[in-house]
Structure formats: structure tokens, C-alpha cells
Amino acid sequence: MLGKIKPDFQQNLFKTRLTDLINLEHPLVKLALEISWDKMEDEFQDLYSEQGRPSIPIRKIAGMLLLKEMFKESDESVVERWIENAYWQHFTGEEFFQTKQPFDPSEFVHFRKRLKEAGLEFLLSQSVSLHPKAKNEKEVQIDTTVQEKNITFPTDAKLAKKVIDNCTKIAQKEGVLQRQTYKRVAKQHLRDAYFGHHPKRKKKAVMARKKLKTIGLRVVRELERKLPEELKKQYEGEFVIYKKVLTQERNSKDKIYSLHEPQTACIAKGKAHKAYEFGTKVAVVRGRNTGIITAVKRFSGNPHDSKTLEESLAQSERVRTKIGGTRPEIASTDRGFRGQIQVGTTQIVIPKNNKEKTKYKQEVARKRFRARAAIEPTISHLKRNHSLGLNFLKGVAGDVNNALLAGIGYNLKLRFNQIKEQIVFWLQLVFNFFTKNKTIILIEI
């Protein structure tokens, strides 16, 4: 059953009303007034049953999710900071100052699963609606980046050692008597596999890697022989991944780089300091004039950039249509997207080596592609100040959710900063006005 926040207008002798503690001109207070919480509640009420215990109110949990993305907090830290921050409590709809945690941090996991991609796209559309010009902007900029997964740097030796350890855990759990656990042997082989690039250690490291793979396959086959048929079907998916990890070579396709995140891909982005990144490819759609993000689409594997355009623009259209907007007419990209000149009704503009015919067209193209470079710092902000830099959420759903939440947090933070700038601007005007009048009064005296 959907829980709701009931307004309490009665004074309480033992509690302090938040409006008596906070500055009502604070940017977060003004941002809370601009967000349509009623629309959010109407959109999400169908996701809850009509029976059972009342849930956490939508404004409270959704508001804390937005705060988490705006200020780059974890599920645990945002709940802890909420107790200390009166402005955050007011933002989530509280009337009185609270001194206890509103809910367990694990509730964020259930809420994200409940929303799915469609619910997060709605939240993205609401963040875009705070910037009225963004919904009908004709030209957008598109670029791709890598959303890194929170996994260790993968090596064949590490993965083989993990397979051996996981098989030992399965055997202990199901009561299977192993011929040998290889606990100490595998540990020593992993040590020997380190620093294999050194000439004096190369031969020993190569042999250690081969031996770890041999032991891994031996342990997997033993489990398959000894497990009952019912349990074998239960662990069939794990065994397929283990065999693929132990048999894949350097040039194999669709390699597995993590046992618990098998969808992780290896993507080379041409960076001098980091040759490869392990995660998923994400396409970002940004308005040219407003700078508002209208789509953050996650893709499986490592597709060519031109193959990401259709789904990215479709998501942008869905987000903008929800708030009465239109599909972008022009999308400017870099040369990595070559191969597409039209996607649906959207024209794709890519820098060309040959010059335009007239000086005017040359100047228009020069300005357009100089402006397109502004998407690079936007992606940097998404990674450093929001959650796109390192994804801690599990699975494919975690990749999708984390990318969309980063875009939502970016749009909200941009509006938050705009409100702050407006307040500073008006304070400066008032200060200048009184300073000027004071000078005039002193001259008259």
C-alpha cells in the first residue's frame, strides 16, 4: 500500500518545526517548490499494491534518491547525513526536525528495482522540466563514454583462482567431498603469476597461469561428476561461465572479465593514462544551448558509436514527450559516429574533411563543432560529481539505473546552482542599491 505524508499544522511543544530553523530563501528550499511531487506520486502509485503495510512515502524516498545523486552520496551516507541536515529533511517533505533514520538504506535497492528504466526515465523528464527551454531544443549533442564497473583489474590468473575458490565453496555448501581443494597450491601459483613481464620471471609466470587453468577445469569437472542431477541444474549457469573463463584466450570474442558481473566489457578509449576501461558503453544526449541532459543510454558490449544513435535519440524523444516536448531535429557528433546521416527525423551532423562551399556555411559549421566540444566537460562532471565514474550497482539493471540517475543528478544540480546564482545576483543588486543611496544621503547632508 502506498504511504503518504500527512501535513501536520498543529504545534508540538517537544518538536521544532523546520520552517523555524531554516532559511526559506535557500536554493534547496526553492528547488523543492519547483519539483512536482504530486505528479511523481500519481506516476508511481500503480507500482504499489492496494493492500498491506503502508510503504515509505514517495516524496521521502524519491527525494532522498535525488539528493543522493545531486551530492554524490552512497545509499548509507545519504541516510546518515539526512539526520544532520534540516534542509534535506525539508526537501523530503518533513514538517518537524527528525533525529532518527527515516528507513534502512537497503530500501533504495527495492525502490530502484520497483521503478525500473521507465520510472527513472520519468524522473529524468521531471528534471528536464525544471529547464523549460530544454524540452523543445532543436539541436542536441551526442557523445559516448565508458561507465566503469566496480571490479578488480581482470587477469587470467586472478579469474582462475576465483573459479577454484568458488568451486570449493559450492562443494562445502552441498556436502561434496573433493579429492583436493588446492587451497595452498592455487595461492602459490597466483603469487608466481605476478610480474610475468620480467625476463627472469616470465617462464615461471606462464607455467603458473597454465597450471591454474588446468586445476580450475579439473575442479569444475569433478563437481559436475559428483553433484546430483537436481543440484547440477541449479549451478549450470555458473559452470558455463567458469568453463568459458578457463578456456578463453587473449584474442577470444565476448570474453568474461568478472565472475559476478559477466556482462562487463573491455573498451579501449584511446587514453594515454588508461588504455582499457572495464564496464559498459553509455551515450549521453545534451542540449546545445541549455546544456541539459535528455538521455543517458546504456549499451551491451562495445558497439560502434553510430549504432548507438537510434536508441539514444529514441530515449531523448520519450523523455521530452512526457513533458510536452518534441524530438530533436539536429544531432551534432564527432567523427567516431561516421556512417549515419539521418536517424528517423533527426539529421546527424559530423565534421567533414572537405570545406563547405560558402564562407557563411563554413562559419556555421565551425561554431557548431566548437560548441559540440562542450559535451566533454559535461561527461567529466557526470563522472566526477555524480555516479557515472564508478558503478557500484549490480547487474545489467544496475548499469541502466546508475547511468540514468547520474543524468538526473546532473540536471538537478544545474538547476540548484542556477537558483543559487539568482539569489547572489539579487543580493548584489540590493547591496549596490543601498550603498548608492547611502552615498547620496551623505552628500546631501
Side-chain angles (χ1 to χ4, degrees):
M1 188 169 69
L2 181 64
K4 294 188 178 183
I5 297 176
K6 295 179 181 178
D8 189 356
F9 301 109
Q10 188 173 354
Q11 291 294 339
N12 192 319
L13 182 63
F14 302 103
K15 289 184 180 180
T16 307
R17 194 172 285 275
L18 286 170
T19 51
D20 296 335
L21 289 175
I22 61 176
N23 174 19
L24 297 178
E25 297 299 316
H26 190 275
L28 210 55
V29 176
K30 289 185 174 294
L31 182 63
L33 294 172
E34 292 183 5
I35 295 173
S36 180
W37 302 104
D38 293 335
K39 274 187 184 177
M40 203 179 291
E41 192 170 303
D42 293 340
E43 180 72 19
F44 298 149
Q45 65 181 356
D46 294 336
L47 304 176
Y48 292 84
S49 170
E50 294 182 358
Q51 298 177 344
R53 180 176 64 86
S55 68
I56 300 164
I58 291 292
R59 177 165 181 181
K60 183 177 285 186
I61 191 164
M64 290 190 69
L65 187 65
L66 299 180
L67 289 169
K68 172 184 176 296
E69 295 305 321
M70 284 173 65
F71 299 103
K72 199 184 178 183
E73 299 288 339
S74 66
D75 290 353
E76 291 78 15
S77 65
V78 72
V79 173
E80 290 171 2
R81 283 193 62 189
W82 184 87
I83 305 170
E84 304 165 0
N85 198 317
Y87 290 99
W88 285 18
Q89 293 185 17
H90 178 80
F91 185 82
T92 54
E94 292 292 341
E95 295 282 344
F96 297 96
F97 187 76
Q98 305 295 318
T99 56
K100 294 181 180 178
Q101 283 192 358
F103 48 78
D104 192 85
S106 62
E107 291 290 343
F108 283 118
V109 180
H110 307 304
F111 186 62
R112 284 191 292 261
K113 285 181 180 178
R114 193 185 294 270
L115 291 185
K116 298 181 182 177
E117 187 174 3
L120 291 171
E121 281 184 4
F122 173 79
L123 287 179
L124 182 60
S125 70
Q126 293 304 299
S127 71
V128 174
S129 69
L130 300 175
H131 310 267
K133 293 181 181 179
K135 64 181 180 181
N136 292 316
E137 199 165 4
K138 289 185 178 180
E139 185 173 342
V140 295
Q141 301 160 346
I142 305 179
D143 200 5
T144 59
T145 187
V146 180
Q147 177 181 238
E148 289 190 79
K149 202 75 174 179
N150 185 37
I151 62 170
T152 182
F153 188 88
T155 64
D156 291 341
K158 277 187 195 176
L159 290 170
K161 173 71 165 54
K162 285 181 181 178
V163 168
I164 295 166
D165 292 344
N166 287 1
C167 287
T168 303
K169 288 178 183 177
I170 292 171
Q172 290 174 351
K173 181 181 176 182
E174 305 300 342
V176 174
L177 184 63
Q178 289 180 290
R179 185 175 57 181
Q180 186 177 345
T181 60
Y182 298 99
K183 186 176 180 180
R184 292 185 180 85
V185 176
K187 195 173 182 180
Q188 185 57 49
H189 282 315
L190 183 62
R191 287 199 196 99
D192 294 340
Y194 290 156
F195 308 108
H197 57 277
H198 195 281
K200 290 185 177 180
R201 293 180 54 85
K202 187 173 182 180
K203 185 177 178 181
K204 190 175 185 180
V206 169
M207 294 302 295
R209 292 190 201 108
K210 285 183 179 179
K211 191 64 178 175
L212 278 170
K213 287 188 175 184
T214 304
I215 293 170
L217 287 168
R218 187 184 300 163
V219 172
V220 171
R221 287 196 299 269
E222 184 184 12
L223 269 183
E224 286 182 325
R225 285 197 312 271
K226 293 184 177 180
L227 279 174
E229 286 298 324
E230 293 179 0
L231 292 175
K232 196 187 294 184
K233 288 180 181 178
Q234 183 180 337
Y235 293 106
E236 190 175 358
E238 284 90 332
F239 290 155
V240 169
I241 292 172
Y242 294 164
K243 286 179 181 177
K244 190 173 180 180
V245 164
L246 296 168
T247 55
Q248 64 190 10
E249 299 294 335
R250 182 183 180 87
N251 297 322
S252 300
K253 291 186 178 180
D254 300 324
K255 290 181 71 173
I256 292 175
Y257 299 97
S258 173
L259 298 182
H260 66 285
E261 296 288 352
Q263 80 282 358
T264 302
C266 176
I267 302 171
K269 294 291 286 183
K271 296 178 182 177
H273 65 283
K274 192 184 287 187
Y276 302 98
E277 292 176 306
F278 299 93
T280 54
K281 182 171 275 193
V282 170
V284 179
V285 180
R286 172 189 183 272
R288 176 180 173 177
N289 297 320
T290 59
I292 302 305
I293 293 172
T294 55
V296 191
K297 185 68 179 174
R298 178 261 184 199
F299 295 90
S300 299
N302 185 14
H304 189 264
D305 285 354
S306 62
K307 305 295 182 186
T308 66
L309 287 169
E310 188 175 351
E311 291 186 42
S312 303
L313 289 168
Q315 187 185 69
S316 180
E317 184 181 12
R318 287 196 303 271
V319 168
R320 289 163 63 144
T321 305
K322 284 177 182 176
I323 53 174
T326 55
R327 183 185 174 95
E329 296 178 12
I330 301 171
S332 57
T333 63
D334 59 17
R335 287 188 174 91
F337 288 82
R338 64 169 63 90
Q340 298 269 22
I341 57 172
Q342 187 86 17
V343 175
T345 57
T346 306
Q347 179 189 357
I348 309 301
V349 186
I350 301 171
K352 297 177 182 177
N353 291 327
N354 56 326
K355 289 186 177 180
E356 297 287 350
K357 292 181 180 178
T358 63
K359 283 281 185 183
Y360 172 73
K361 287 186 177 180
Q362 287 177 17
E363 188 66 17
V364 169
R366 187 180 70 85
K367 286 183 178 180
R368 170 172 284 145
F369 295 117
R370 279 194 172 186
R372 194 217 67 83
I375 198 171
E376 301 295 347
T378 296
I379 290 172
S380 180
H381 280 299
L382 284 170
K383 289 194 167 190
R384 290 181 176 273
N385 302 328
H386 302 284
S387 55
L388 197 68
L390 193 61
N391 179 18
F392 293 90
L393 306 184
K394 185 170 174 59
V396 175
D399 295 337
V400 174
N401 294 354
N402 193 70
L404 282 166
L405 286 167
I408 293 165
Y410 177 86
N411 290 343
L412 289 171
K413 193 65 180 290
L414 197 62
R415 182 60 190 146
F416 175 83
N417 290 335
Q418 286 173 357
I419 295 170
K420 191 188 290 185
E421 287 172 6
Q422 288 170 5
I423 292 170
V424 172
F425 174 75
W426 285 110
L427 287 173
Q428 189 69 39
L429 278 181
V430 171
F431 176 77
N432 292 341
F433 174 78
F434 282 110
T435 305
K436 186 178 179 181
N437 286 350
K438 187 178 179 182
T439 307
I440 293 168
I441 292 164
L442 287 172
I443 291 169
E444 288 177 355
I445 291 171

